Amino acid sequence: MSTEQSFPRVHQIRFAYSSLEDRIAMHLTMVAGGGHIAWLSRRALMSLTQHLNHVLKESHPAGEGGMAHDTIMALEHIGARAELAAQRDHERSLETGDEDPGAEPPIEWTHHLVTEAQVEAQDSHIVLALLGQPRPGEPEQRMRAEPIGGLALTRVHAHEVLRLMVANAHEAGWRIDQPIEWLNVRRDGAPTGT
């Protein structure tokens, strides 16, 4: 994201596969209210997963200026999954019935086809920015890509977003041309065989 561009901030993200569209929908609940559904084609999803994997590996402190080894990434991923589980358990134990005002589900959703995604490491975060074209639109009509939403993810949350994208691709029956080997581990570190 070398040129400055403003992106609406995302509060919450949820993934779902649509067999009718044969696309993955990223439901983005925005900080300012409202929601966007960012539709990912197979090609866009595959490119985004590879780019996110690259940035995670390149920005890992153990990489010492290079790419972190898959073993290091697998261990970090196991730790990230455990940290997220602990966070969820803690949040459940604190539930008082008061909802976070920014978490209200949007009443109206706008739809965009993701045509570009930018991923980069900034300080201790992985920044993910999505650009695309509003839908519906004319078939094959190319418009200038507009910002859909941006997220500043901790490494833990970047791992989870990557895992969810790969899991939804698997659910959709999409073959990942360049599998991310370090994602295919059980909690004990052993390969899953998938």
Side-chain angles (χ1 to χ4, degrees):
M1 287 167 266
S2 53
T3 60
E4 284 295 312
Q5 191 166 16
S6 178
F7 288 83
R9 288 184 40 217
V10 175
H11 173 73
Q12 187 177 44
I13 185 170
R14 190 170 46 88
F15 291 89
Y17 171 69
S18 168
S19 58
L20 177 65
E21 292 282 341
D22 194 27
R23 296 186 199 283
I24 293 182
M26 294 175 67
H27 296 256
L28 308 173
T29 303
M30 310 311 288
V31 169
H36 299 298
I37 298 179
W39 292 97
L40 289 164
S41 65
R42 289 179 200 216
R43 183 178 355 186
L45 182 86
M46 298 308 157
S47 175
L48 182 54
T49 57
Q50 292 307 314
H51 198 56
L52 186 52
N53 175 43
H54 179 82
V55 170
L56 275 167
K57 290 177 84 169
E58 189 177 63
S59 65
H60 195 284
E64 298 176 345
M67 300 287 270
H69 190 274
D70 280 352
T71 304
I72 300 287
M73 296 306 299
L75 291 171
E76 183 183 47
H77 186 69
I78 292 166
R81 299 289 314 272
E83 186 174 327
L84 282 172
Q87 284 176 4
R88 285 184 192 112
D89 289 345
H90 180 71
E91 288 168 3
R92 282 188 203 112
S93 72
L94 296 177
E95 282 181 356
T96 62
D98 295 332
E99 287 293 318
D100 177 358
E104 295 229 1
I107 295 170
E108 191 172 311
W109 295 88
T110 60
H111 295 257
H112 294 80
L113 176 65
V114 175
T115 57
E116 297 176 41
Q118 301 170 355
V119 183
E120 71 179 39
Q122 288 184 1
D123 300 319
S124 62
H125 289 88
I126 306 296
V127 176
L128 170 60
L130 302 171
L131 296 103
Q133 298 183 13
R135 290 288 172 230
E138 295 297 319
E140 297 302 316
Q141 178 185 11
R142 297 254 180 212
M143 298 179 283
R144 185 169 179 261
E146 61 182 48
I148 301 170
L151 301 97
L153 303 165
T154 63
R155 290 188 67 82
V156 168
H157 289 103
H159 273 270
E160 183 66 359
V161 165
L162 183 58
R163 184 191 71 77
L164 289 169
M165 286 190 296
V166 170
N168 275 272
H170 180 72
E171 178 188 328
W174 296 354
R175 193 185 95 227
I176 298 178
D177 295 329
Q178 297 174 328
I180 300 169
E181 297 299 331
W182 58 263
L183 273 178
N184 297 324
V185 293
R186 295 190 319 235
R187 277 195 166 289
D188 63 3
T192 59
T194 58

